[in-house]
Amino acid sequence: MVELIAKSACDGLLPKTIGSLTLSEAAPEAITSVTPFRGQEAAVSEALKAQIGAAWPAPNRMTGRAGARVVFSGRGQAFVLGPRIAPIAGAALSDQTDAWASVELSGTGAADALARLVPIDLRPGVFRQGHCARTLIFHMPGLVMHTGQDRYGLMVFRSMARTLVHDLESAMEAIAARG
Amino acid sequence: MRITCPICGARDSREFSYRGAALALQRPAPDAGDDAWADYVHLRENPAGDTRELWYHEGGCGAWIVVTRNTVTHEVRSAELAAEVAR
Protein backbone atom coordinates (compact mmCIF):
# COMPACT_ATOMS: atom_id res chain seq x y z
CA MET A 1 0.00 0.00 0.00
CA VAL A 2 1.39 3.37 -1.03
CA GLU A 3 1.80 5.85 1.80
CA LEU A 4 -0.17 8.96 0.75
CA ILE A 5 0.43 12.34 2.32
CA ALA A 6 -2.71 14.42 2.76
CA LYS A 7 -2.47 18.00 1.48
CA SER A 8 -4.84 20.65 2.75
CA ALA A 9 -6.74 22.79 0.19
CA CYS A 10 -4.54 25.86 0.75
CA ASP A 11 -1.26 23.96 1.21
CA GLY A 12 1.65 26.26 0.34
CA LEU A 13 -0.60 29.33 -0.04
CA LEU A 14 -1.28 30.39 3.54
CA PRO A 15 -0.92 31.96 6.07
CA LYS A 16 -0.49 35.53 4.82
CA THR A 17 -0.47 38.82 6.70
CA ILE A 18 -1.03 42.08 4.84
CA GLY A 19 -1.35 45.26 6.90
CA SER A 20 -3.66 44.63 9.84
CA LEU A 21 -5.25 41.55 8.26
CA THR A 22 -4.27 37.92 8.50
CA LEU A 23 -5.54 35.15 6.25
CA SER A 24 -4.97 31.61 7.44
CA GLU A 25 -6.26 28.17 6.66
CA ALA A 26 -8.89 26.98 9.12
CA ALA A 27 -9.97 23.52 8.04
CA PRO A 28 -12.30 21.86 10.54
CA GLU A 29 -11.68 18.30 11.66
CA ALA A 30 -14.59 17.20 9.48
CA ILE A 31 -17.33 18.75 7.36
CA THR A 32 -20.57 16.77 7.28
CA SER A 33 -23.62 17.92 5.35
CA VAL A 34 -26.91 17.14 7.14
CA THR A 35 -30.23 17.25 5.25
CA PRO A 36 -33.24 16.23 7.36
CA PHE A 37 -36.03 14.35 5.62
CA ARG A 38 -39.39 16.13 5.44
CA GLY A 39 -40.82 16.76 8.92
CA GLN A 40 -37.71 15.45 10.71
CA GLU A 41 -36.06 18.79 11.57
CA ALA A 42 -36.95 18.64 15.29
CA ALA A 43 -35.73 15.06 15.69
CA VAL A 44 -32.51 15.83 13.82
CA SER A 45 -31.96 18.90 15.98
CA GLU A 46 -32.26 16.73 19.12
CA ALA A 47 -29.83 14.18 17.66
CA LEU A 48 -27.29 16.93 16.89
CA LYS A 49 -27.66 18.34 20.41
CA ALA A 50 -26.99 14.90 21.85
CA GLN A 51 -23.94 14.33 19.64
CA ILE A 52 -22.16 17.68 19.59
CA GLY A 53 -24.23 19.98 21.79
CA ALA A 54 -25.52 22.26 19.02
CA ALA A 55 -29.10 22.51 17.70
CA TRP A 56 -30.35 22.78 14.11
CA PRO A 57 -29.71 26.38 12.97
CA ALA A 58 -32.24 28.83 11.53
CA PRO A 59 -31.44 30.17 8.04
CA ASN A 60 -28.41 32.52 8.06
CA ARG A 61 -27.40 31.37 11.55
CA MET A 62 -25.00 28.95 13.15
CA THR A 63 -25.10 27.20 16.50
CA GLY A 64 -22.48 25.66 18.76
CA ARG A 65 -18.96 26.92 19.28
CA ALA A 66 -15.58 26.85 17.54
CA GLY A 67 -14.67 23.20 16.91
CA ALA A 68 -18.29 21.99 17.04
CA ARG A 69 -20.56 24.16 14.94
CA VAL A 70 -23.73 23.54 12.97
CA VAL A 71 -23.92 26.09 10.15
CA PHE A 72 -26.84 26.85 7.81
CA SER A 73 -25.55 25.91 4.37
CA GLY A 74 -28.57 26.01 2.09
CA ARG A 75 -32.26 25.20 1.77
CA GLY A 76 -32.96 22.36 4.21
CA GLN A 77 -29.26 21.75 4.74
CA ALA A 78 -26.61 22.45 7.39
CA PHE A 79 -22.93 21.66 7.74
CA VAL A 80 -21.47 20.21 10.91
CA LEU A 81 -17.99 21.72 11.24
CA GLY A 82 -16.24 19.71 13.91
CA PRO A 83 -15.86 16.09 14.88
CA ARG A 84 -17.17 13.37 12.62
CA ILE A 85 -20.74 12.53 13.58
CA ALA A 86 -22.53 9.21 13.73
CA PRO A 87 -25.45 8.51 11.35
CA ILE A 88 -28.71 10.23 12.32
CA ALA A 89 -32.06 8.55 11.69
CA GLY A 90 -34.24 10.97 9.72
CA ALA A 91 -31.45 12.77 7.86
CA ALA A 92 -29.14 12.19 4.92
CA LEU A 93 -25.49 12.75 5.84
CA SER A 94 -22.55 13.15 3.51
CA ASP A 95 -18.89 13.60 4.31
CA GLN A 96 -17.58 16.76 2.60
CA THR A 97 -14.38 17.22 4.58
CA ASP A 98 -12.10 17.25 1.53
CA ALA A 99 -14.55 19.09 -0.73
CA TRP A 100 -14.11 22.59 0.71
CA ALA A 101 -11.35 25.14 1.16
CA SER A 102 -11.80 26.78 4.58
CA VAL A 103 -9.96 29.94 5.53
CA GLU A 104 -10.19 32.56 8.25
CA LEU A 105 -9.77 36.30 7.75
CA SER A 106 -9.03 38.22 10.93
CA GLY A 107 -7.86 41.63 12.03
CA THR A 108 -9.07 45.23 12.16
CA GLY A 109 -10.91 46.02 8.94
CA ALA A 110 -11.71 42.41 8.06
CA ALA A 111 -15.32 43.35 7.28
CA ASP A 112 -14.13 46.21 5.04
CA ALA A 113 -11.96 43.83 3.04
CA LEU A 114 -14.80 41.32 2.68
CA ALA A 115 -17.21 44.09 1.67
CA ARG A 116 -15.18 44.43 -1.54
CA LEU A 117 -16.04 40.87 -2.50
CA VAL A 118 -19.30 39.86 -0.81
CA PRO A 119 -22.66 41.38 -1.91
CA ILE A 120 -24.37 41.34 1.51
CA ASP A 121 -24.50 43.92 4.30
CA LEU A 122 -21.48 43.03 6.47
CA ARG A 123 -21.73 45.86 9.01
CA PRO A 124 -21.20 44.26 12.45
CA GLY A 125 -24.60 45.52 13.65
CA VAL A 126 -26.34 43.71 10.79
CA PHE A 127 -24.16 40.65 10.10
CA ARG A 128 -23.45 39.81 13.74
CA GLN A 129 -21.32 37.20 15.41
CA GLY A 130 -23.09 33.86 14.99
CA HIS A 131 -24.56 34.91 11.64
CA CYS A 132 -23.62 33.18 8.41
CA ALA A 133 -24.65 33.40 4.76
CA ARG A 134 -24.54 31.34 1.63
CA THR A 135 -23.59 34.06 -0.82
CA LEU A 136 -20.97 34.99 -3.39
CA ILE A 137 -17.29 35.61 -2.63
CA PHE A 138 -16.37 37.68 -5.70
CA HIS A 139 -17.38 35.27 -8.49
CA MET A 140 -17.54 32.12 -6.36
CA PRO A 141 -20.48 30.69 -4.46
CA GLY A 142 -19.36 30.26 -0.86
CA LEU A 143 -20.19 30.33 2.80
CA VAL A 144 -19.37 33.34 4.99
CA MET A 145 -19.44 33.03 8.80
CA HIS A 146 -18.97 35.76 11.40
CA THR A 147 -17.12 33.75 14.03
CA GLY A 148 -15.77 36.46 16.34
CA GLN A 149 -14.77 40.10 16.74
CA ASP A 150 -13.09 41.06 13.40
CA ARG A 151 -12.97 37.37 12.55
CA TYR A 152 -14.65 35.67 9.59
CA GLY A 153 -14.69 32.08 8.35
CA LEU A 154 -14.95 31.58 4.59
CA MET A 155 -15.56 28.41 2.62
CA VAL A 156 -15.58 27.75 -1.13
CA PHE A 157 -15.38 24.57 -3.20
CA ARG A 158 -11.89 23.12 -2.88
CA SER A 159 -11.12 23.47 -6.59
CA MET A 160 -11.35 27.26 -6.13
CA ALA A 161 -8.89 27.51 -3.23
CA ARG A 162 -6.19 29.37 -5.18
CA THR A 163 -8.72 31.83 -6.60
CA LEU A 164 -10.15 32.44 -3.13
CA VAL A 165 -6.71 33.22 -1.72
CA HIS A 166 -5.92 35.47 -4.71
CA ASP A 167 -9.18 37.43 -4.43
CA LEU A 168 -8.83 37.87 -0.67
CA GLU A 169 -5.21 38.99 -1.04
CA SER A 170 -6.26 41.65 -3.54
CA ALA A 171 -8.89 42.94 -1.12
CA MET A 172 -6.44 42.87 1.81
CA GLU A 173 -3.84 44.81 -0.23
CA ALA A 174 -6.45 47.38 -1.20
CA ILE A 175 -7.41 47.90 2.45
CA ALA A 176 -3.75 48.13 3.52
CA ALA A 177 -3.05 50.69 0.76
CA ARG A 178 -5.71 53.00 2.17
CA GLY A 179 -3.69 53.18 5.41
CA MET B 1 -32.26 44.80 -8.61
CA ARG B 2 -32.80 42.99 -5.32
CA ILE B 3 -34.83 39.82 -4.83
CA THR B 4 -36.10 38.75 -1.41
CA CYS B 5 -35.33 35.04 -1.17
CA PRO B 6 -37.98 33.42 1.08
CA ILE B 7 -35.13 31.72 2.96
CA CYS B 8 -32.14 34.09 2.90
CA GLY B 9 -33.87 37.49 2.81
CA ALA B 10 -33.15 40.39 0.42
CA ARG B 11 -30.16 39.67 -1.79
CA ASP B 12 -28.50 41.21 -4.82
CA SER B 13 -29.72 39.90 -8.18
CA ARG B 14 -26.22 38.68 -9.09
CA GLU B 15 -26.76 35.77 -6.69
CA PHE B 16 -29.69 34.53 -8.80
CA SER B 17 -29.96 33.04 -12.24
CA TYR B 18 -32.99 33.30 -14.49
CA ARG B 19 -34.91 30.31 -15.83
CA GLY B 20 -37.73 31.97 -17.76
CA ALA B 21 -41.48 32.25 -17.24
CA ALA B 22 -42.88 30.34 -14.27
CA LEU B 23 -44.65 28.09 -16.75
CA ALA B 24 -42.75 24.92 -15.93
CA LEU B 25 -45.03 24.60 -12.90
CA GLN B 26 -48.08 24.23 -15.21
CA ARG B 27 -46.87 21.44 -17.48
CA PRO B 28 -49.72 20.07 -19.65
CA ALA B 29 -50.82 16.45 -19.33
CA PRO B 30 -48.98 14.04 -21.68
CA ASP B 31 -52.16 13.60 -23.77
CA ALA B 32 -53.15 17.29 -23.76
CA GLY B 33 -52.69 17.53 -27.54
CA ASP B 34 -50.30 19.27 -29.92
CA ASP B 35 -51.77 22.74 -29.48
CA ALA B 36 -51.38 22.72 -25.71
CA TRP B 37 -47.83 21.37 -25.97
CA ALA B 38 -46.78 23.80 -28.73
CA ASP B 39 -48.10 26.62 -26.58
CA TYR B 40 -46.25 25.31 -23.51
CA VAL B 41 -42.94 24.84 -25.32
CA HIS B 42 -42.85 27.85 -27.65
CA LEU B 43 -45.32 30.61 -26.83
CA ARG B 44 -44.63 33.15 -24.11
CA GLU B 45 -46.50 36.16 -22.83
CA ASN B 46 -44.66 39.48 -23.09
CA PRO B 47 -46.63 41.61 -20.66
CA ALA B 48 -46.18 45.29 -19.90
CA GLY B 49 -46.84 44.81 -16.19
CA ASP B 50 -46.66 41.93 -13.74
CA THR B 51 -44.89 38.80 -14.90
CA ARG B 52 -44.08 35.59 -13.04
CA GLU B 53 -40.65 34.06 -13.48
CA LEU B 54 -38.55 31.22 -12.11
CA TRP B 55 -35.23 32.17 -10.55
CA TYR B 56 -32.61 29.93 -9.01
CA HIS B 57 -30.71 31.15 -5.95
CA GLU B 58 -27.47 29.78 -7.32
CA GLY B 59 -25.07 31.96 -5.32
CA GLY B 60 -27.06 31.35 -2.16
CA CYS B 61 -29.24 28.70 -0.57
CA GLY B 62 -30.03 26.84 -3.81
CA ALA B 63 -33.80 27.39 -3.69
CA TRP B 64 -35.99 27.70 -6.79
CA ILE B 65 -38.28 30.67 -6.39
CA VAL B 66 -41.18 32.22 -8.28
CA VAL B 67 -40.65 35.97 -8.56
CA THR B 68 -43.50 38.32 -9.49
CA ARG B 69 -41.94 41.33 -11.16
CA ASN B 70 -43.32 44.38 -12.91
CA THR B 71 -41.68 44.93 -16.31
CA VAL B 72 -42.78 48.58 -16.45
CA THR B 73 -41.74 49.82 -13.00
CA HIS B 74 -39.07 47.12 -12.37
CA GLU B 75 -40.63 46.56 -8.96
CA VAL B 76 -40.12 43.09 -7.51
CA ARG B 77 -43.52 42.43 -5.94
CA SER B 78 -43.07 39.02 -4.35
CA ALA B 79 -40.95 35.90 -4.22
CA GLU B 80 -42.22 32.47 -3.14
CA LEU B 81 -40.64 29.05 -2.98
CA ALA B 82 -41.45 27.20 -6.20
CA ALA B 83 -42.02 24.04 -4.16
CA GLU B 84 -44.88 25.76 -2.34
CA VAL B 85 -46.36 27.30 -5.49
CA ALA B 86 -46.39 23.89 -7.19
CA ARG B 87 -47.97 22.12 -4.22
Side-chain angles (χ1 to χ4, degrees):
Chain A
M1 186 74 188
V2 181
E3 283 287 314
L4 299 175
I5 300 166
K7 277 176 83 172
S8 66
C10 301
D11 187 75
L13 300 172
L14 295 176
K16 281 217 160 82
T17 298
I18 300 171
S20 61
L21 298 173
T22 299
L23 185 64
S24 51
E25 185 155 24
E29 184 184 337
I31 302 170
T32 311
S33 118
V34 180
T35 47
F37 302 136
R38 191 169 293 160
Q40 297 290 311
E41 286 83 358
V44 170
S45 185
E46 288 304 319
L48 286 169
K49 273 191 236 172
Q51 282 203 46
I52 61 164
W56 182 258
N60 300 329
R61 296 289 184 275
M62 53 191 184
T63 59
R65 61 202 178 280
R69 281 189 209 284
V70 185
V71 183
F72 166 82
S73 64
R75 179 176 172 232
Q77 186 195 66
F79 284 165
V80 175
L81 309 183
R84 275 176 207 285
I85 57 172
I88 296 172
L93 268 58
S94 79
D95 180 9
Q96 305 208 6
T97 310
D98 292 333
W100 294 81
S102 305
V103 301
E104 183 183 77
L105 180 67
S106 59
T108 310
D112 298 333
L114 277 186
R116 291 173 175 250
L117 304 174
V118 177
I120 61 172
D121 191 344
L122 289 166
R123 287 174 297 172
V126 179
F127 190 69
R128 301 177 188 197
Q129 291 179 33
H131 288 205
C132 66
R134 273 311 288 266
T135 180
L136 296 175
I137 302 170
F138 209 30
H139 298 297
M140 296 170 289
L143 179 60
V144 179
M145 298 169 280
H146 193 176
T147 51
Q149 173 89 31
D150 291 326
R151 194 172 286 277
Y152 294 86
L154 305 159
M155 288 166 61
V156 299
F157 305 135
R158 185 185 176 114
S159 59
M160 301 173 185
R162 194 174 289 269
T163 309
L164 175 71
V165 171
H166 172 261
D167 292 345
L168 286 167
E169 265 178 34
S170 305
M172 290 159 72
E173 280 164 4
I175 293 295
R178 289 178 67 90
Chain B
M1 186 169 96
R2 286 172 76 75
I3 295 174
T4 302
C5 171
I7 293 173
C8 301
R11 293 293 180 89
D12 193 275
S13 66
R14 83 187 88 160
E15 289 189 8
F16 299 85
S17 54
Y18 176 68
R19 169 62 175 77
L23 210 62
L25 302 174
Q26 295 131 37
R27 190 182 169 92
D31 58 355
D34 290 347
D35 285 351
W37 273 97
D39 187 6
Y40 172 73
V41 173
H42 299 293
L43 302 180
R44 293 291 174 267
E45 301 295 327
N46 183 21
D50 284 353
T51 181
R52 282 162 70 77
E53 300 163 336
L54 273 176
W55 291 75
Y56 178 49
H57 198 186
E58 187 178 24
C61 65
W64 282 97
I65 57 181
V66 176
V67 174
T68 306
R69 190 171 67 87
N70 191 302
T71 55
V72 177
T73 63
H74 304 303
E75 179 193 5
V76 175
R77 300 172 71 89
S78 73
E80 313 149 80
L81 285 177
E84 280 169 16
V85 174
R87 196 165 285 163

